[in-house]
Amino acid sequence: MSEFWNQKYARDDYFYGEQPNDFLRSQVFRLSPGARVLVVGDGEGRNGVWLAEQGFTVTTVDASRVGCEKSAALASDRGVSLTTLCADLLTWDWPVAAFDAVVSVFLHFSPDERKVAHARMQAALVPGGWLIIEQFHPNQLNGYNSGGPKTVEMLTTMSDLAEDFNAIDWWLLAEGTTWLEEGSGHSGLGYVSHGVGRRQ
């Protein structure tokens, strides 16, 4: 899959734009100043760089070498620093209880891989740490053309998130439509599942 994303990101502009995800932007007020934030599957860095601009200590991880290079370039252009790691999240040696927040935006896996990745995201949080997550819902395939995987198995319901993250105290957990303006990659009305909660 890393080569798939290398090809997606091998362009002069940013496939998902340079601005952060709207749900992330709406929830970041919950994080304490200077919080240590892990952004998983950060692609070309739009979310990680924006979080660094807000004063957080950011680590971003993505499997795409091209994406990681563009993340570093975007951070340099914006005058911020962050740690960029190029790694496969399914084989990465995840830190445990090391982050005050984990951010996952439109990061999709097959069901078995998803459960593994989500368990590791949860374990990476300190007690009381925040999870902010948004994914496409299976209803995205019912006429919504704003992006995302084309196989229903890789899409996620609100119930899936509640089951996967069994040590998260959810403050908000919802599914429904949202308007996406994230470069050419996500554009138009979409159907998503998203949530924010704290590690027990």
Side-chain angles (χ1 to χ4, degrees):
M1 285 300 289
S2 60
E3 191 53 40
F4 170 84
W5 289 109
N6 283 338
Q7 293 178 17
K8 283 271 191 187
Y9 298 148
R11 50 195 289 156
D12 291 336
D13 64 348
Y14 282 68
F15 186 60
Y16 295 112
E18 298 179 29
Q19 300 305 311
N21 170 262
D22 281 345
F23 183 65
L24 169 61
R25 192 196 295 264
S26 76
Q27 299 302 318
V28 76
F29 73 93
R30 303 180 189 275
L31 307 187
S32 299
R36 299 162 298 167
V37 183
L38 173 65
V39 187
V40 292
D42 197 28
E44 300 159 296
R46 64 192 177 99
N47 293 310
V49 169
W50 180 77
L51 286 163
E53 288 181 306
Q54 311 313 303
F56 300 112
T57 302
V58 180
T59 300
T60 73
V61 186
D62 199 272
S64 167
R65 172 187 52 79
V66 175
C68 290
E69 290 170 355
K70 292 178 78 172
S71 293
L74 186 61
S76 178
D77 288 347
R78 300 273 184 86
V80 296
S81 62
L82 71 169
T83 300
T84 303
L85 303 176
C86 193
D88 183 337
L89 287 167
L90 296 172
T91 58
W92 184 44
D93 185 14
W94 287 71
V96 175
F99 294 96
D100 303 306
V102 171
V103 173
S104 176
V105 174
F106 296 126
L107 175 62
H108 293 271
F109 297 96
S110 66
D112 289 346
E113 292 176 342
R114 188 195 77 223
K115 291 179 183 300
V116 169
H118 285 180
R120 290 174 179 165
M121 289 180 207
Q122 182 170 267
L125 287 166
V126 299
W130 289 96
L131 172 70
I132 301 174
I133 188 167
E134 182 165 67
Q135 298 180 340
F136 284 110
H137 185 279
N139 283 353
Q140 177 71 4
L141 299 182
N142 297 331
Y144 296 92
N145 299 310
S146 52
K150 304 307 178 190
T151 54
V152 69
E153 293 80 12
M154 295 186 73
L155 304 176
T156 314
T157 66
M158 186 173 70
S159 296
D160 291 331
L161 293 179
E163 181 179 334
D164 289 356
F165 293 101
N166 58 3
I168 295 294
D169 177 18
W170 293 102
W171 289 42
L172 182 159
L173 187 58
E175 55 190 32
T177 57
T178 190
W179 187 260
L180 299 170
E181 294 184 30
E182 301 182 336
S184 59
H186 293 155
S187 180
L189 194 64
Y191 206 104
V192 304
S193 301
H194 59 206
V196 59
R198 302 191 83 167
R199 175 81 159 87
Q200 296 171 6

